[in-house]
């Protein structure tokens, strides 16, 4: 416990030092209050689109994972083929293709929802495999034993498969969440004003490239690191 307190104490001192240096550099730079406000707005947009994509992608990933674990041979091939395409095609190409198709079909849809839909589909493709692995990790003998005790099909999932499967699923799901947060930067390719896009515009305006890019990296860190810490806490709590 003492070593952990020392470690977090060192982290806190480093954080204070970095913030102090950052503030000093910002004051000496050509950045204005409105530039920082614009950057913060981009940060909030990044958090928003990431949260939407993670929520929707996880929801459909759970459904697809269940289907993959229980569907028949031909249904599994069709579903696997669709998900393999989503996982294999680079995300930046998916954004451009989907945005272009919406324009060709003259469908009135905002840039936010173009990004959110593509990012959600991409997320669901990875969550699907994680959920399928979690379901399949529960021993068949355990499931048969639960059914022999009188549990129904859905009770088996609620009381046996879910509690045991989450121990396998949770760490991998957290990795997907962190990946989606970072991959959300690619939405800038279709013009969505998230953190990276706002940074690019500020760089062209102020020519403070190094400072702004360091700031972007810091912002992504303060989003991702607390999630990692909380995930580690939950893993210990659940004894994963």
């Amino acid at each position: 416990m003492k070593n952990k307190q020392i470690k977090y104490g060192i982290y806190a001192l480093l954080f204070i030092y970095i913030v102090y240096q950052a503030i000093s550099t910002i004051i000496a730079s050509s950045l204005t209050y409105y530039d920082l406000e614009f950057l913060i707005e981009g940060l909030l947009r990044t958090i928003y689109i990431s949260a939407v994509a993670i929520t929707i992608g996880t929801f459909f990933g759970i459904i697809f994972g269940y289907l993959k674990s229980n569907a028949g041979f031909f249904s599994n091939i069709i579903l696997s083929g669709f998900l393999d395409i989503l996982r294999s095609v680079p995300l930046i190409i998916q954004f451009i293709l989907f945005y272009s198709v919406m324009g060709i079909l003259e469908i009135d849809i905002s840039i936010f929802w173009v990004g959110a839909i593509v990012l959600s589909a991409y997320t669901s493709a990875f969550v699907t495999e994680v959920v399928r692995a979690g379901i399949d990790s529960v021993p068949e003998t355990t499931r048969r034993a639960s059914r022999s005790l009188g549990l129904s099909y859905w009770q088996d999932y609620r009381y046996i498969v879910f509690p045991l499967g989450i121990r396998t699923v949770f760490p991998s799901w957290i990795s997907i969440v962190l990946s989606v947060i970072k991959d959300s930067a690619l939405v800038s390719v279709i013009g969505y004003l998230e953190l990276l896009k706002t940074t690019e515009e500020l760089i062209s305006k102020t020519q403070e490239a190094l400072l702004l890019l360091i700031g972007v990296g810091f912002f992504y860190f303060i989003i991702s690191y607390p999630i990692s810490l909380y995930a580690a806490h939950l893993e210990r709590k659940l004894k994963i």
Side-chain angles (χ1 to χ4, degrees), residues 34-78:
Y34 297 104
D35 293 332
L36 295 177
E37 187 177 29
F38 185 54
L39 197 62
I40 295 297
E41 182 182 348
L43 173 64
L44 295 177
R45 285 170 174 263
T46 291
I47 295 173
Y48 182 48
I49 197 170
S50 298
V52 170
I54 290 165
T55 301
I56 297 175
T58 299
F59 174 77
F60 283 102
I62 291 172
I63 295 175
F64 294 153
Y66 168 79
L67 292 175
K68 280 204 70 175
S69 182
N70 295 275
F73 177 74
F74 292 105
S75 299
N76 213 326
I77 288 179
I78 295 172

Short mmCIF file of all heavy atoms in Angstrom, two decimals, residues 34-78:
data_model
loop_
_atom_site.label_atom_id
_atom_site.label_comp_id
_atom_site.label_asym_id
_atom_site.label_seq_id
_atom_site.Cartn_x
_atom_site.Cartn_y
_atom_site.Cartn_z
N TYR A 34 -10.00 32.47 -26.48
CA TYR A 34 -10.98 31.90 -27.41
C TYR A 34 -10.41 30.68 -28.13
O TYR A 34 -11.15 29.75 -28.47
CB TYR A 34 -11.41 32.97 -28.41
CG TYR A 34 -12.12 34.13 -27.76
CD1 TYR A 34 -11.46 35.34 -27.57
CD2 TYR A 34 -13.42 33.99 -27.29
CE1 TYR A 34 -12.10 36.41 -26.94
CE2 TYR A 34 -14.07 35.05 -26.67
CZ TYR A 34 -13.41 36.25 -26.49
OH TYR A 34 -14.04 37.28 -25.85
N ASP A 35 -9.09 30.67 -28.36
CA ASP A 35 -8.46 29.49 -28.95
C ASP A 35 -8.57 28.29 -28.01
O ASP A 35 -8.88 27.17 -28.43
CB ASP A 35 -6.99 29.76 -29.26
CG ASP A 35 -6.82 30.80 -30.35
OD1 ASP A 35 -7.71 30.91 -31.21
OD2 ASP A 35 -5.80 31.51 -30.33
N LEU A 36 -8.32 28.53 -26.74
CA LEU A 36 -8.43 27.45 -25.75
C LEU A 36 -9.87 26.98 -25.61
O LEU A 36 -10.13 25.78 -25.46
CB LEU A 36 -7.89 27.93 -24.39
CG LEU A 36 -6.40 28.26 -24.34
CD1 LEU A 36 -6.01 28.79 -22.97
CD2 LEU A 36 -5.57 27.03 -24.67
N GLU A 37 -10.80 27.92 -25.67
CA GLU A 37 -12.22 27.56 -25.61
C GLU A 37 -12.60 26.70 -26.81
O GLU A 37 -13.35 25.72 -26.67
CB GLU A 37 -13.06 28.84 -25.58
CG GLU A 37 -14.54 28.59 -25.33
CD GLU A 37 -15.34 29.87 -25.24
OE1 GLU A 37 -14.93 30.87 -25.89
OE2 GLU A 37 -16.37 29.89 -24.56
N PHE A 38 -12.06 27.03 -27.97
CA PHE A 38 -12.31 26.25 -29.19
C PHE A 38 -11.74 24.84 -29.05
O PHE A 38 -12.35 23.85 -29.46
CB PHE A 38 -11.66 26.98 -30.38
CG PHE A 38 -11.95 26.36 -31.71
CD1 PHE A 38 -13.24 26.11 -32.14
CD2 PHE A 38 -10.90 26.02 -32.56
CE1 PHE A 38 -13.50 25.55 -33.38
CE2 PHE A 38 -11.14 25.45 -33.80
CZ PHE A 38 -12.45 25.21 -34.21
N LEU A 39 -10.55 24.75 -28.43
CA LEU A 39 -9.91 23.44 -28.21
C LEU A 39 -10.72 22.59 -27.23
O LEU A 39 -10.89 21.38 -27.44
CB LEU A 39 -8.49 23.66 -27.69
CG LEU A 39 -7.52 22.48 -27.79
CD1 LEU A 39 -7.31 22.08 -29.25
CD2 LEU A 39 -6.20 22.83 -27.13
N ILE A 40 -11.21 23.21 -26.19
CA ILE A 40 -12.03 22.49 -25.20
C ILE A 40 -13.32 22.00 -25.84
O ILE A 40 -13.80 20.89 -25.55
CB ILE A 40 -12.35 23.39 -23.99
CG1 ILE A 40 -11.07 23.73 -23.22
CG2 ILE A 40 -13.35 22.71 -23.05
CD1 ILE A 40 -10.38 22.54 -22.61
N GLU A 41 -13.89 22.81 -26.73
CA GLU A 41 -15.10 22.39 -27.45
C GLU A 41 -14.83 21.15 -28.28
O GLU A 41 -15.64 20.22 -28.34
CB GLU A 41 -15.60 23.53 -28.34
CG GLU A 41 -16.89 23.20 -29.07
CD GLU A 41 -17.35 24.32 -29.99
OE1 GLU A 41 -16.80 25.44 -29.88
OE2 GLU A 41 -18.27 24.08 -30.81
N GLY A 42 -13.66 21.10 -28.92
CA GLY A 42 -13.28 19.91 -29.68
C GLY A 42 -13.11 18.70 -28.78
O GLY A 42 -13.48 17.58 -29.16
N LEU A 43 -12.56 18.92 -27.59
CA LEU A 43 -12.41 17.83 -26.63
C LEU A 43 -13.77 17.27 -26.22
O LEU A 43 -13.96 16.04 -26.17
CB LEU A 43 -11.67 18.34 -25.38
CG LEU A 43 -11.56 17.37 -24.20
CD1 LEU A 43 -10.74 16.15 -24.58
CD2 LEU A 43 -10.96 18.08 -22.99
N LEU A 44 -14.73 18.15 -25.95
CA LEU A 44 -16.07 17.70 -25.56
C LEU A 44 -16.75 16.95 -26.70
O LEU A 44 -17.47 15.96 -26.47
CB LEU A 44 -16.92 18.91 -25.14
CG LEU A 44 -16.45 19.64 -23.87
CD1 LEU A 44 -17.32 20.86 -23.60
CD2 LEU A 44 -16.48 18.70 -22.66
N ARG A 45 -16.52 17.39 -27.94
CA ARG A 45 -17.08 16.69 -29.09
C ARG A 45 -16.48 15.29 -29.23
O ARG A 45 -17.17 14.33 -29.59
CB ARG A 45 -16.83 17.49 -30.37
CG ARG A 45 -17.72 18.72 -30.53
CD ARG A 45 -17.25 19.58 -31.69
NE ARG A 45 -18.15 20.69 -31.95
CZ ARG A 45 -19.10 20.69 -32.88
NH1 ARG A 45 -19.27 19.62 -33.63
NH2 ARG A 45 -19.88 21.73 -33.05
N THR A 46 -15.18 15.17 -28.94
CA THR A 46 -14.53 13.87 -28.98
C THR A 46 -15.13 12.93 -27.94
O THR A 46 -15.42 11.76 -28.22
CB THR A 46 -13.01 14.02 -28.71
OG1 THR A 46 -12.41 14.68 -29.82
CG2 THR A 46 -12.34 12.67 -28.53
N ILE A 47 -15.33 13.44 -26.74
CA ILE A 47 -15.93 12.63 -25.67
C ILE A 47 -17.34 12.21 -26.05
O ILE A 47 -17.74 11.06 -25.84
CB ILE A 47 -15.93 13.41 -24.34
CG1 ILE A 47 -14.49 13.66 -23.87
CG2 ILE A 47 -16.71 12.66 -23.27
CD1 ILE A 47 -14.39 14.56 -22.66
N TYR A 48 -18.09 13.15 -26.63
CA TYR A 48 -19.49 12.87 -26.97
C TYR A 48 -19.61 11.79 -28.04
O TYR A 48 -20.34 10.81 -27.88
CB TYR A 48 -20.15 14.16 -27.44
CG TYR A 48 -21.62 14.02 -27.78
CD1 TYR A 48 -22.49 13.37 -26.91
CD2 TYR A 48 -22.14 14.54 -28.97
CE1 TYR A 48 -23.85 13.24 -27.21
CE2 TYR A 48 -23.48 14.42 -29.28
CZ TYR A 48 -24.32 13.77 -28.40
OH TYR A 48 -25.66 13.62 -28.71
N ILE A 49 -18.87 11.94 -29.15
CA ILE A 49 -18.99 10.96 -30.22
C ILE A 49 -18.43 9.60 -29.79
O ILE A 49 -18.94 8.55 -30.20
CB ILE A 49 -18.30 11.46 -31.51
CG1 ILE A 49 -18.78 10.64 -32.72
CG2 ILE A 49 -16.78 11.41 -31.40
CD1 ILE A 49 -18.35 11.21 -34.06
N SER A 50 -17.41 9.61 -28.94
CA SER A 50 -16.86 8.35 -28.44
C SER A 50 -17.87 7.64 -27.55
O SER A 50 -18.06 6.42 -27.65
CB SER A 50 -15.57 8.60 -27.65
OG SER A 50 -14.57 9.18 -28.47
N ALA A 51 -18.53 8.40 -26.67
CA ALA A 51 -19.52 7.81 -25.76
C ALA A 51 -20.69 7.21 -26.54
O ALA A 51 -21.17 6.11 -26.23
CB ALA A 51 -20.02 8.87 -24.78
N VAL A 52 -21.15 7.93 -27.57
CA VAL A 52 -22.26 7.43 -28.40
C VAL A 52 -21.84 6.16 -29.13
O VAL A 52 -22.58 5.15 -29.15
CB VAL A 52 -22.70 8.51 -29.41
CG1 VAL A 52 -23.68 7.91 -30.43
CG2 VAL A 52 -23.35 9.68 -28.70
N ALA A 53 -20.65 6.17 -29.72
CA ALA A 53 -20.17 5.00 -30.47
C ALA A 53 -19.96 3.80 -29.57
O ALA A 53 -20.30 2.66 -29.93
CB ALA A 53 -18.87 5.35 -31.20
N ILE A 54 -19.40 4.01 -28.39
CA ILE A 54 -19.16 2.91 -27.45
C ILE A 54 -20.48 2.32 -26.97
O ILE A 54 -20.62 1.09 -26.89
CB ILE A 54 -18.31 3.41 -26.26
CG1 ILE A 54 -16.88 3.71 -26.73
CG2 ILE A 54 -18.28 2.36 -25.15
CD1 ILE A 54 -16.07 4.52 -25.74
N THR A 55 -21.45 3.18 -26.67
CA THR A 55 -22.75 2.70 -26.19
C THR A 55 -23.47 1.89 -27.26
O THR A 55 -23.91 0.76 -27.01
CB THR A 55 -23.62 3.89 -25.75
OG1 THR A 55 -22.95 4.62 -24.72
CG2 THR A 55 -24.96 3.40 -25.21
N ILE A 56 -23.61 2.46 -28.45
CA ILE A 56 -24.32 1.78 -29.53
C ILE A 56 -23.54 0.54 -29.98
O ILE A 56 -24.12 -0.54 -30.19
CB ILE A 56 -24.54 2.73 -30.72
CG1 ILE A 56 -25.44 3.90 -30.31
CG2 ILE A 56 -25.18 1.98 -31.90
CD1 ILE A 56 -25.61 4.96 -31.39
N GLY A 57 -22.23 0.68 -30.13
CA GLY A 57 -21.41 -0.45 -30.57
C GLY A 57 -21.43 -1.61 -29.59
O GLY A 57 -21.48 -2.77 -30.00
N THR A 58 -21.41 -1.30 -28.30
CA THR A 58 -21.46 -2.35 -27.29
C THR A 58 -22.82 -3.05 -27.31
O THR A 58 -22.90 -4.28 -27.19
CB THR A 58 -21.19 -1.77 -25.89
OG1 THR A 58 -19.89 -1.18 -25.87
CG2 THR A 58 -21.27 -2.85 -24.83
N PHE A 59 -23.88 -2.27 -27.47
CA PHE A 59 -25.24 -2.84 -27.50
C PHE A 59 -25.37 -3.85 -28.64
O PHE A 59 -25.79 -5.00 -28.43
CB PHE A 59 -26.27 -1.71 -27.66
CG PHE A 59 -27.68 -2.21 -27.84
CD1 PHE A 59 -28.41 -2.68 -26.76
CD2 PHE A 59 -28.28 -2.20 -29.10
CE1 PHE A 59 -29.71 -3.15 -26.93
CE2 PHE A 59 -29.57 -2.65 -29.28
CZ PHE A 59 -30.29 -3.13 -28.19
N PHE A 60 -24.99 -3.43 -29.84
CA PHE A 60 -25.10 -4.35 -30.98
C PHE A 60 -24.04 -5.45 -30.92
O PHE A 60 -24.28 -6.57 -31.39
CB PHE A 60 -24.99 -3.57 -32.30
CG PHE A 60 -26.24 -2.84 -32.67
CD1 PHE A 60 -26.34 -1.47 -32.46
CD2 PHE A 60 -27.33 -3.51 -33.19
CE1 PHE A 60 -27.50 -0.79 -32.78
CE2 PHE A 60 -28.50 -2.84 -33.52
CZ PHE A 60 -28.59 -1.47 -33.31
N GLY A 61 -22.89 -5.16 -30.32
CA GLY A 61 -21.87 -6.18 -30.16
C GLY A 61 -22.34 -7.32 -29.27
O GLY A 61 -22.03 -8.49 -29.54
N ILE A 62 -23.09 -6.99 -28.23
CA ILE A 62 -23.65 -8.02 -27.34
C ILE A 62 -24.65 -8.89 -28.11
O ILE A 62 -24.64 -10.12 -28.00
CB ILE A 62 -24.32 -7.37 -26.12
CG1 ILE A 62 -23.26 -6.72 -25.22
CG2 ILE A 62 -25.13 -8.40 -25.32
CD1 ILE A 62 -23.83 -5.90 -24.09
N ILE A 63 -25.50 -8.23 -28.91
CA ILE A 63 -26.48 -8.98 -29.70
C ILE A 63 -25.79 -9.88 -30.72
O ILE A 63 -26.09 -11.08 -30.83
CB ILE A 63 -27.45 -8.01 -30.41
CG1 ILE A 63 -28.29 -7.25 -29.38
CG2 ILE A 63 -28.36 -8.78 -31.38
CD1 ILE A 63 -29.18 -6.19 -29.98
N PHE A 64 -24.83 -9.32 -31.46
CA PHE A 64 -24.11 -10.10 -32.48
C PHE A 64 -23.28 -11.21 -31.84
O PHE A 64 -23.16 -12.31 -32.39
CB PHE A 64 -23.21 -9.19 -33.32
CG PHE A 64 -23.95 -8.21 -34.17
CD1 PHE A 64 -23.37 -7.00 -34.55
CD2 PHE A 64 -25.24 -8.47 -34.60
CE1 PHE A 64 -24.05 -6.09 -35.33
CE2 PHE A 64 -25.94 -7.57 -35.38
CZ PHE A 64 -25.34 -6.37 -35.75
N GLY A 65 -22.70 -10.92 -30.67
CA GLY A 65 -21.91 -11.94 -29.98
C GLY A 65 -22.76 -13.11 -29.55
O GLY A 65 -22.35 -14.28 -29.68
N TYR A 66 -23.96 -12.80 -29.08
CA TYR A 66 -24.91 -13.86 -28.71
C TYR A 66 -25.30 -14.68 -29.94
O TYR A 66 -25.34 -15.92 -29.90
CB TYR A 66 -26.14 -13.26 -28.05
CG TYR A 66 -27.28 -14.23 -27.89
CD1 TYR A 66 -27.28 -15.16 -26.85
CD2 TYR A 66 -28.35 -14.25 -28.79
CE1 TYR A 66 -28.31 -16.07 -26.70
CE2 TYR A 66 -29.39 -15.15 -28.65
CZ TYR A 66 -29.37 -16.06 -27.60
OH TYR A 66 -30.39 -16.96 -27.47
N LEU A 67 -25.57 -13.99 -31.05
CA LEU A 67 -25.96 -14.69 -32.28
C LEU A 67 -24.83 -15.58 -32.79
O LEU A 67 -25.07 -16.71 -33.23
CB LEU A 67 -26.37 -13.68 -33.35
CG LEU A 67 -27.67 -12.90 -33.09
CD1 LEU A 67 -27.90 -11.85 -34.17
CD2 LEU A 67 -28.86 -13.84 -33.00
N LYS A 68 -23.59 -15.06 -32.74
CA LYS A 68 -22.46 -15.85 -33.22
C LYS A 68 -22.26 -17.11 -32.38
O LYS A 68 -21.83 -18.15 -32.89
CB LYS A 68 -21.17 -15.02 -33.20
CG LYS A 68 -21.03 -14.09 -34.39
CD LYS A 68 -19.58 -13.74 -34.64
CE LYS A 68 -18.80 -14.93 -35.15
NZ LYS A 68 -17.42 -14.61 -35.51
N SER A 69 -22.54 -17.00 -31.09
CA SER A 69 -22.34 -18.13 -30.20
C SER A 69 -23.44 -19.17 -30.34
O SER A 69 -23.23 -20.35 -30.04
CB SER A 69 -22.26 -17.65 -28.75
OG SER A 69 -22.03 -18.71 -27.86
N ASN A 70 -24.62 -18.73 -30.83
CA ASN A 70 -25.77 -19.64 -30.86
C ASN A 70 -26.36 -19.87 -32.25
O ASN A 70 -27.20 -20.75 -32.41
CB ASN A 70 -26.89 -19.09 -29.94
CG ASN A 70 -26.49 -19.07 -28.49
OD1 ASN A 70 -26.60 -20.05 -27.78
ND2 ASN A 70 -26.01 -17.91 -28.02
N ALA A 71 -25.93 -19.08 -33.24
CA ALA A 71 -26.53 -19.19 -34.58
C ALA A 71 -26.05 -20.45 -35.29
O ALA A 71 -25.04 -21.06 -34.92
CB ALA A 71 -26.18 -17.96 -35.41
N GLY A 72 -26.77 -20.82 -36.32
CA GLY A 72 -26.41 -21.97 -37.12
C GLY A 72 -25.21 -21.68 -38.01
O GLY A 72 -24.71 -20.56 -38.07
N PHE A 73 -24.79 -22.69 -38.73
CA PHE A 73 -23.57 -22.59 -39.54
C PHE A 73 -23.66 -21.50 -40.60
O PHE A 73 -22.78 -20.63 -40.70
CB PHE A 73 -23.29 -23.95 -40.20
CG PHE A 73 -22.11 -23.95 -41.11
CD1 PHE A 73 -20.83 -23.93 -40.59
CD2 PHE A 73 -22.27 -23.95 -42.50
CE1 PHE A 73 -19.72 -23.92 -41.44
CE2 PHE A 73 -21.17 -23.94 -43.34
CZ PHE A 73 -19.90 -23.93 -42.81
N PHE A 74 -24.71 -21.50 -41.41
CA PHE A 74 -24.83 -20.54 -42.51
C PHE A 74 -25.06 -19.11 -41.99
O PHE A 74 -24.51 -18.15 -42.53
CB PHE A 74 -25.96 -20.95 -43.46
CG PHE A 74 -25.65 -22.21 -44.23
CD1 PHE A 74 -26.26 -23.42 -43.90
CD2 PHE A 74 -24.72 -22.19 -45.26
CE1 PHE A 74 -25.97 -24.58 -44.59
CE2 PHE A 74 -24.42 -23.35 -45.97
CZ PHE A 74 -25.05 -24.55 -45.63
N SER A 75 -25.87 -18.97 -40.94
CA SER A 75 -26.08 -17.64 -40.36
C SER A 75 -24.78 -17.09 -39.80
O SER A 75 -24.48 -15.89 -39.92
CB SER A 75 -27.14 -17.73 -39.25
OG SER A 75 -28.36 -18.19 -39.75
N ASN A 76 -24.00 -17.98 -39.22
CA ASN A 76 -22.72 -17.57 -38.65
C ASN A 76 -21.76 -17.10 -39.73
O ASN A 76 -21.01 -16.14 -39.55
CB ASN A 76 -22.10 -18.75 -37.88
CG ASN A 76 -21.30 -18.29 -36.69
OD1 ASN A 76 -20.68 -17.24 -36.75
ND2 ASN A 76 -21.29 -19.05 -35.63
N ILE A 77 -21.77 -17.77 -40.88
CA ILE A 77 -20.89 -17.38 -41.98
C ILE A 77 -21.24 -15.98 -42.48
O ILE A 77 -20.36 -15.14 -42.72
CB ILE A 77 -20.99 -18.40 -43.13
CG1 ILE A 77 -20.30 -19.71 -42.74
CG2 ILE A 77 -20.37 -17.83 -44.41
CD1 ILE A 77 -20.38 -20.78 -43.80
N ILE A 78 -22.54 -15.71 -42.64
CA ILE A 78 -22.99 -14.40 -43.13
C ILE A 78 -22.60 -13.30 -42.15
O ILE A 78 -22.04 -12.26 -42.53
CB ILE A 78 -24.51 -14.40 -43.36
CG1 ILE A 78 -24.87 -15.39 -44.48
CG2 ILE A 78 -25.00 -12.99 -43.70
CD1 ILE A 78 -26.36 -15.60 -44.66
#
